Amino acid sequence: MTTDATGDLWQKALMVHAMMLACYVDGTMHPGEIATVEAYAKTLPEFHGGDFKLYCQEAKLIAEGVAGDMNAAVELLCEIGDDHTRIRTYLAMVELVYSSGEVVGAEEHLLDSVRVAGGSAGCPRASAGMTAARGRVMGQVSR
């Protein structure tokens, strides 16, 4: 049983939704990718001691709610409550995208869309932080 308040559950479900988007953007969600998302999420402080299956179940409901509309899926990420968590979520997406090796056009477009959405739809300060964070990750990847 989880002790998450409804708002906290929504925030964590949105974070999982974002990580699932990073894996699904190529059009398929392989069974191993959910395990990868879970393993990665469990390294984040937001998920310590939490019920990942519940967050994943809620994230799947979010995905059903947007019915394949990638723009709506990305815009929902602006509902993540604070800049720090929004940037941490974006970095998780970047790491998951780059963990598969070569980044294809759809993945690059998703990351750009999330970064741009961070500058609109109610989360204006996140965009600069996301751009800086992506630059740091890209610098690490290219070394």
Side-chain angles (χ1 to χ4, degrees), residues 42-60:
K42 287 182 174 180
T43 68
L44 301 174
E46 290 86 355
F47 295 97
H48 289 179
D51 183 354
F52 183 80
K53 290 187 188 322
L54 176 62
Y55 309 138
C56 189
Q57 181 179 20
E58 292 296 316
K60 288 178 182 178

Side-chain angles (χ1 to χ4, degrees), residues 14-99:
L14 284 172
M15 290 180 75
V16 172
H17 165 70
M19 290 184 271
M20 290 170 75
L21 277 176
C23 293
Y24 179 77
V25 71
D26 64 359
T28 54
M29 185 73 145
H30 303 288
E33 289 178 314
I34 282 291
T36 300
V37 169
E38 180 175 7
Y40 186 86
K42 287 182 174 180
T43 68
L44 301 174
E46 290 86 355
F47 295 97
H48 289 179
D51 183 354
F52 183 80
K53 290 187 188 322
L54 176 62
Y55 309 138
C56 189
Q57 181 179 20
E58 292 296 316
K60 288 178 182 178
L61 291 174
I62 292 169
E64 289 174 14
V66 297
D69 182 344
M70 191 61 77
N71 291 330
V74 168
E75 286 189 21
L76 272 174
L77 301 181
C78 284
E79 292 190 27
I80 294 174
D82 62 82
D83 290 344
H84 177 78
T85 304
R86 216 174 287 118
I87 291 168
R88 183 189 302 271
T89 301
Y90 178 74
L91 286 173
M93 292 178 75
V94 170
E95 288 194 28
L96 287 166
V97 163
Y98 279 89
S99 72

